[in-house]
Amino acid sequence: LQYPTVYKARKSLFQEQVKYAELTKTRTEAELKRDIRTVYYQLAYLQERQLLYQRLDTLYSQLADAAALRARTGESTGLEKIAAEARLRELRAQQQQIGREVAVQQQTLMQLLNAPESLLPTEGSLQKLPLNATSDRSNHPILLLQRQNVNLATADIYLQKQGLKPDFSGRAFTQRLYGISPAFSGFSVSVGVPIAGKSFRQKIKVAQIGSAVQQKQLEYQTLWLNTAAASAQQELEKNNAALQFYETTGLAQADEITRAATAAYRAGEISFADLAQYLAQAADIRQNYLDNLNQYNQAAIQLYFLNNQ
């Protein structure tokens, strides 16, 4: 039999290992939630880009038909028709590229959800994510797991110290000797004292160093968590400032530019080159809005994760 505190120390270590496994599961769940949100809103963003290119495709198809008609009636050269068709082919190539990006994100989402079929967000899913002012960073799964590493190291130190304790052994016997009756019975008890104390002390020292390393790692991860949350908050505020322009005036101006420029071209008031420039400006405004909205949402998702939400 080992010294009683050895069993106690070993039991304590096993209990800490069980807690570590449970906290590992909690951290994995938090990371999985973050990854699913990231892919879902990336898919919603790509869908909105597809819709934007589809609207531009319809518009340029109409303009290409109008340019072809003007060329047939002699109102313009064939250059406008060629330019419109070139832009149309470019838009369709961009749509195909986005379609491939959507397929990649769908595969990732299937893997994260363990789903047998590809999924897509519902129409209109790309919305500005709300923010919760509260946070529970002190109980974040990353920190809880690292604190458990510290607990494991402490339990290991205690277990290693038990190596200096003595062992106990005992035996009972019955022996019949030749020519002697009755049988001879007895028992013995012995105590085993470790003589290689230096090696046990080295193991204790190694365990103590490991504990100090885990404590430093806890301090580092606490600092990293707070710094990353502050960076995500700054990214959020930066993109929110840009979104306010697009939401209040930018998108409305893009619609007005498209409407006025298209009407002016059909009335013969501007050239196709002028029209293309105006439409490109309006498309850039809409694209920049989608990009900023996606960046805002991705920063919000990261902040959700860091704030343990």
Side-chain angles (χ1 to χ4, degrees), residues 48-89:
E48 289 295 327
R49 284 186 62 187
Q50 281 183 320
L51 291 174
L52 173 60
Y53 286 136
Q54 287 170 6
R55 289 192 291 268
L56 290 173
D57 184 292
T58 301
L59 178 59
Y60 273 97
S61 295
Q62 295 171 352
L63 293 176
D65 293 339
L69 179 61
R70 291 177 65 177
R72 286 196 301 270
T73 58
E75 296 180 29
S76 67
T77 63
L79 182 60
E80 291 184 356
K81 177 177 178 294
I82 294 172
E85 290 176 347
R87 178 58 178 153
L88 195 57
R89 286 194 294 271

Side-chain angles (χ1 to χ4, degrees), residues 37 41 125-134 233 236 240 293 296-297 299-304 307 309:
R37 282 172 170 168
Y41 279 94
S125 295
L126 187 62
Q127 302 291 332
K128 190 175 178 180
L129 287 173
L131 291 179
N132 190 344
T134 62
Q233 184 66 43
L236 203 69
N240 189 48
L293 180 55
Y296 175 92
N297 282 342
I301 291 168
Q302 181 68 0
L303 198 58
Y304 285 165
N307 286 340
Q309 294 173 350

Side-chain angles (χ1 to χ4, degrees), residues 106-160:
Q106 282 182 302
Q107 289 292 330
T108 304
L109 189 60
M110 288 171 61
Q111 180 180 356
L112 292 171
L113 294 175
N114 194 25
E117 299 177 354
S118 59
L119 303 170
L120 278 174
T122 56
E123 187 174 345
S125 295
L126 187 62
Q127 302 291 332
K128 190 175 178 180
L129 287 173
L131 291 179
N132 190 344
T134 62
S135 66
D136 192 18
R137 234 172 283 153
S138 61
N139 289 320
H140 195 283
I142 289 177
L143 297 185
L144 293 179
L145 190 62
Q146 186 54 36
R147 289 192 191 110
Q148 190 58 29
N149 274 328
V150 174
N151 294 338
L152 274 171
T154 302
D156 187 46
I157 292 173
Y158 181 58
L159 178 61
Q160 295 303 328

Side-chain angles (χ1 to χ4, degrees), residues 70 260 263-271 274:
R70 291 177 65 177
Y265 173 72
R266 287 173 176 167
E269 298 173 0
I270 61 174
S271 66
D274 292 332

